[in-house]
Amino acid sequence: MPVGMKQGHFALFFLSGAFGFLLSACGFPTYTFFYHPYFSSPSAYMLTITHDVRNYDIDEGANQSFKGYEVFYRIYSNSDEAIAKASSLATMASTYAGNPDSFMNYALNTLNFLCIRLASADSQPLAALSASAASSDHTFYIYLNSSTINFNNTTDWLLNDGSNYYPLRRSIAETSRSAFQVQSNYKSSVGDVDYNGIDSPSTIYLVFFAVAYGTDPTSPGVSVYSEPEFPTGTAVSSGVVAYNPGL
């Protein structure tokens, strides 16, 4: 299925000599496809997720298959390891161009990437858009150092949807250690599923990618992802952000 179509109708053609035969039994199959967001990291302290309005399908009205955007991450205490994993992601994205399911399987089940989550809920997706909002331009911001915006005197990582700020958390079971900004929260020794490295590192290296997220209207409960988009302009190398958590 070619990238560049949200939903499309495809027919199979078979050529025999100078003749082409069109096979069409009970109509043409419809496939759900989403465009990735524009995902950037203009500094070590903020990620930007820009909505692609082509994900809005006017024919779906108030019941959009597209739901918003997910941001996946993994954390390392060694910069070389982080750079190597970012390179692996980029290679597999190219290998699986046009096949986001295979890329997601590799990223989640081989490299063990996880979703950033709202501190208050485990809902999907992280950056949600209603049907009405999805029809127009929209930008989300993730602040890795919220003290720079003086929001409620907190240092939590924050998601800003253009109107409101929402604290964020890591995808680990121990909610008491789920804050990104606390140095002592990072513990490979107790099996943190999102982290490779020494306990309580002074600097961590994060690899991110973002995808559009939605559901398949013909298969209820089946998640659909776009191809990935990696942040650019990052602090260490392409795809890697260096971050110093507080004590």
Side-chain angles (χ1 to χ4, degrees):
M1 179 178 60
V3 173
M5 300 183 70
K6 179 179 182 291
Q7 293 187 338
H9 301 281
F10 301 92
L12 299 176
F13 290 83
F14 294 85
L15 297 180
S16 177
F19 298 97
F21 299 93
L22 170 62
L23 301 183
S24 57
C26 300
F28 303 133
T30 299
Y31 301 94
T32 301
F33 177 84
F34 300 125
Y35 294 88
H36 63 64
Y38 177 70
F39 185 42
S40 67
S41 178
S43 74
Y45 302 108
M46 185 175 72
L47 305 173
T48 303
I49 309 159
T50 304
H51 170 50
D52 191 324
V53 296
R54 291 176 295 178
N55 284 324
Y56 177 80
D57 187 338
I58 192 170
D59 294 330
E60 291 186 333
N63 297 308
Q64 293 288 308
S65 300
F66 168 75
K67 305 300 182 184
Y69 299 98
E70 291 279 30
V71 178
F72 290 85
Y73 75 99
R74 189 153 189 88
I75 309 165
Y76 307 88
S77 66
N78 182 286
S79 61
D80 290 339
E81 185 177 10
I83 290 169
K85 292 303 186 291
S87 178
S88 293
L89 278 179
T91 296
M92 298 312 291
S94 177
T95 299
Y96 291 127
N99 187 355
D101 286 350
S102 292
F103 172 83
M104 293 298 293
N105 181 63
Y106 175 80
L108 275 57
N109 297 319
T110 300
L111 296 185
N112 300 313
F113 274 70
L114 296 165
C115 298
I116 296 176
R117 283 286 169 250
L118 298 178
S120 60
D122 198 29
S123 56
Q124 286 185 283
L126 173 69
L129 280 173
S130 66
S132 57
S135 65
S136 58
D137 293 339
H138 204 89
T139 301
F140 296 89
Y141 303 93
I142 295 178
Y143 293 92
L144 312 188
N145 185 352
S146 58
S147 61
T148 60
I149 59 174
N150 195 30
F151 173 76
N152 287 352
N153 296 315
T154 183
T155 56
D156 285 345
W157 283 23
L158 296 171
L159 173 71
N160 175 250
D161 64 0
S163 301
N164 300 297
Y165 291 97
Y166 304 92
L168 301 175
R169 66 172 177 83
R170 298 161 62 196
S171 285
I172 62 174
E174 293 186 52
T175 56
S176 63
R177 292 194 300 105
S178 63
F180 283 97
Q181 75 277 8
V182 180
Q183 179 180 343
S184 59
N185 281 354
Y186 296 95
K187 295 185 182 298
S188 281
S189 62
V190 296
D192 283 1
V193 294
D194 63 350
Y195 176 58
N196 292 43
I198 62 172
D199 286 1
S200 303
S202 59
T203 303
I204 58 173
Y205 302 91
L206 299 114
V207 181
F208 298 101
F209 68 90
V211 291
Y213 167 84
T215 56
D216 184 344
T218 66
S219 302
V222 174
S223 296
V224 178
Y225 296 97
S226 72
E227 291 194 316
E229 171 75 351
F230 299 97
T232 57
T234 48
V236 177
S237 69
S238 180
V240 178
V241 172
Y243 176 75
N244 301 111
L247 298 176

